[in-house]
Every structure is written in structure tokens, then in C-alpha cells.
Amino acid sequence: MINIALQGAEFFAYHGFYPEEQKIGCRFVVDVNVGFIPPGDLLEDSLNKTVDYERLYIITCEEMKHPRKLIETVGQSIIDRIKKKYPFVESIEVVIKKLTPPLTGKVAHSAVIINYKKPEHGV
């Protein structure tokens, strides 16, 4: 299995349950890890035989631009788009960290971690 990862992709976005979060926005950091078995010979040296991390970034960027109340929803949308683009993917992990969330004490970040694992055949 091969893993392709984006680590520490930074965004300013307007996700949040409270209306003020959707107005003032917040900084987010996103990690995306994708595991897959190549659909062909990697020695062909072709992007068609792997997961393109530039495409992962574009998908993540587009989803981060679409405001939602829950970052869980954002994470699931990222996973769904990756699965659609790369049907040979076996596993995906998306971590979305909301930096300095609006809480009553100092917190570095809150986070949502969403994992996907392709069902085994015959299940």
C-alpha cells in the first residue's frame, strides 16, 4: 500500500455553528492522508497510477471555501470527493483543526478526525 499525504494545509474559512463564526471566520489547518494500491505499474511514471497530491489540495481548498456549520461536514465532503476522483483508494483520513476556537479558555485548536476504509469485497 502507498500513502500520499498533505500535512498542514492552512486556510482562512467561515465554518462554525455560531453566526458570528460564519461572519468573522477562523484559521484552519487540514491534514489529508490517502492509502491506496496502485491501479497499475508505478514504473510507468504516470499520475494516472497514483493519487495526485495537487488534486488533493485543490479538492480540500474548494471544500474549505464552502461555509458550513460543522467541520465534520467539511471533512466528509473532502472524503467523498476523493473517493469519487480515485475509486481505487483504500483508506482516507482527514484531520481539520480549528485554530484558537472561541472558547472561554486558551485552546490551541479543536479538531475533527474522520476516517474512511473501503469495505472488503463480499461484505
Side-chain angles (χ1 to χ4, degrees):
M1 175 129 34
I2 294 176
N3 288 296
I4 299 288
L6 288 178
Q7 298 292 310
E10 296 185 24
F11 302 94
F12 190 87
Y14 297 90
H15 308 299
F17 182 77
Y18 300 104
E20 57 271 14
E21 292 179 287
Q22 295 176 8
K23 289 179 185 170
I24 62 172
C26 187
R27 290 177 42 233
F28 294 84
V29 174
V30 181
D31 300 328
V32 180
N33 298 293
V34 179
F36 65 98
I37 297 171
D41 187 356
L42 285 177
L43 293 177
E44 292 178 20
D45 205 22
S46 170
L47 277 178
N48 293 330
K49 307 299 180 191
T50 189
V51 173
D52 180 357
Y53 60 80
E54 181 179 18
R55 178 59 46 197
L56 292 181
Y57 179 80
I58 291 167
I59 288 170
T60 302
C61 187
E62 289 173 352
E63 292 303 321
M64 289 300 291
K65 287 180 182 176
H66 181 51
R68 295 178 177 103
K69 290 183 180 178
L70 300 177
I71 55 178
E72 292 90 326
T73 306
V74 180
Q76 187 61 54
S77 295
I78 292 169
I79 287 173
D80 290 345
R81 288 192 55 194
I82 293 170
K83 287 174 12 186
K84 184 175 181 181
K85 175 72 178 164
Y86 301 104
F88 55 87
V89 161
E90 296 288 324
S91 64
I92 306 168
E93 179 180 75
V94 174
V95 179
I96 302 176
K97 300 172 189 168
K98 186 176 206 171
L99 304 182
T100 59
L103 300 171
T104 57
K106 183 177 179 181
V107 176
H109 68 267
S110 57
V112 169
I113 302 169
I114 302 176
N115 289 286
Y116 160 79
K117 184 171 167 58
K118 184 183 248 182
E120 299 205 18
H121 296 292
V123 175

